[in-house]
Amino acid sequence: MSSESTEAWAGWYRDRAGAEAVAITATGGQVSTCIRGVEYTGTTFAALRSESGALLSSCVLEWDMPLPVLRDGAVQHATLGCLLTLGEPADGGGAGLDRSDLSLTLHHGGAAYEVAVSDGDFDDALGRIHRQLPPDAALVRREPAQA
């Protein structure tokens, strides 16, 4: 994905007040989503803030995204299921969250490759999934993802 292109994925937002469908967008090194009429933007999924500076917290975001796999010289369809749990604001929200748990599941070729990281690091989690793939397989990523 170039800095000018935009990717969007349908997903779900859940918190104590209920659940709602959301769209998660990535463009130009930023991710964003609109929840209950409030736009949240950040450089990582775990650092989404509103225009007023409120940190997205105490919730769960869940979405699926295509993530092709290159195997035996051919690009094959695969889907990455993402589940991000954002904890409570640490120190009033200025210092981030007390936790950010990310679970990824790559569905490819009838198998599911799973990983969970407690720091919400998307790149680290993808690297762990890549290491589970067969030796002749590689994830096809157009731009480094961030969590």
Side-chain angles (χ1 to χ4, degrees), residues 78-98:
T79 301
L80 185 67
C82 308
L83 177 67
L84 178 65
T85 303
L86 300 175
E88 301 295 323
D91 299 326
L97 301 172
D98 65 354

Side-chain angles (χ1 to χ4, degrees), residues 63-121:
W63 70 100
D64 290 334
M65 58 190 290
L67 184 63
V69 172
L70 179 65
R71 187 153 190 205
D72 296 326
V75 175
Q76 301 175 354
H77 174 76
T79 301
L80 185 67
C82 308
L83 177 67
L84 178 65
T85 303
L86 300 175
E88 301 295 323
D91 299 326
L97 301 172
D98 65 354
R99 67 184 175 88
S100 171
D101 300 322
L102 177 67
S103 298
L104 300 179
T105 304
L106 180 72
H107 298 276
H108 172 259
Y113 304 92
E114 298 178 294
V115 67
V117 293
S118 61
D119 60 2
D121 188 311

